């Protein structure tokens, strides 16, 4: 891998993590625009999703390590963190975009 592509990957990761941490900051510091159940769910799962994503990125494993030999409990054990993290990312980013959009419209 060339140095240029490494820098590009590094910049992309920094931008993504910055946006995700900013959305977490907004999630905890302001009242959300989304329904309170979604905000509460996101506040609970957000720290777990950060650690889960970091572990997955560091190990460079598949996000969905599914195998045909897995039992049902193993399958759910692997699927639940993925689904919860994905929902948290969607809810927190939607919340921050709606807050920013609301500020721009009312400005």
């Amino acid at each position: 891998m060339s140095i240029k592509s490494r820098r590009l990957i590094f910049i992309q990761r920094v931008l993504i993590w910055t946006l995700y941490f900013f959305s977490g900051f907004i999630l905890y510091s302001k009242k959300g625009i989304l329904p309170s159940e979604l905000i509460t769910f996101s506040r609970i799962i957000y720290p777990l999703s950060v650690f889960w994503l970091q572990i997955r990125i560091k190990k460079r494993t598949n996000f969905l390590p599914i195998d045909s030999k897995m039992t049902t409990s193993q399958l759910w054990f692997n699927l639940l963190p993925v689904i919860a993290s994905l929902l948290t990312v969607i809810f927190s980013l939607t919340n921050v975009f709606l807050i920013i959009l609301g500020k721009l419209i009312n400005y």
Side-chain angles (χ1 to χ4, degrees):
M1 192 181 297
S2 70
I3 294 175
K4 200 173 209 181
S5 63
R6 285 185 195 170
R7 286 182 185 167
L8 184 62
I9 290 172
F10 177 74
I11 290 171
Q12 288 174 345
R13 283 189 181 173
V14 166
L15 289 175
I16 290 170
W17 280 111
T18 303
L19 178 64
Y20 194 53
F21 285 135
F22 178 69
S23 68
F25 175 74
I26 296 295
L27 185 69
Y28 284 103
S29 67
K30 301 205 180 259
K31 186 176 180 183
I33 292 181
L34 296 175
S36 64
E37 295 85 14
L38 299 179
I39 296 297
T40 304
F41 173 80
S42 297
R43 285 180 179 165
I44 292 170
I45 303 297
Y46 181 82
L48 300 173
S49 71
V50 170
F51 291 122
W52 183 84
L53 288 171
Q54 190 63 28
I55 288 169
R56 292 293 179 172
I57 289 172
K58 193 170 188 175
K59 286 186 177 181
R60 296 178 188 235
T61 59
N62 294 336
F63 280 110
L64 289 172
I66 297 174
D67 189 6
S68 62
K69 298 173 185 171
M70 292 178 135
T71 64
T72 304
S73 60
Q74 289 173 326
L75 183 64
W76 279 111
F77 183 76
N78 284 325
L79 283 178
L80 286 178
V82 173
I83 293 169
S85 295
L86 211 67
L87 288 174
T88 302
V89 168
I90 291 168
F91 295 153
S92 63
L93 291 177
T94 302
N95 186 50
V96 78
F97 285 135
L98 289 176
I99 287 175
I100 291 171
L101 188 63
K103 296 274 185 188
L104 290 174
I105 290 173
N106 292 332
Y107 187 66

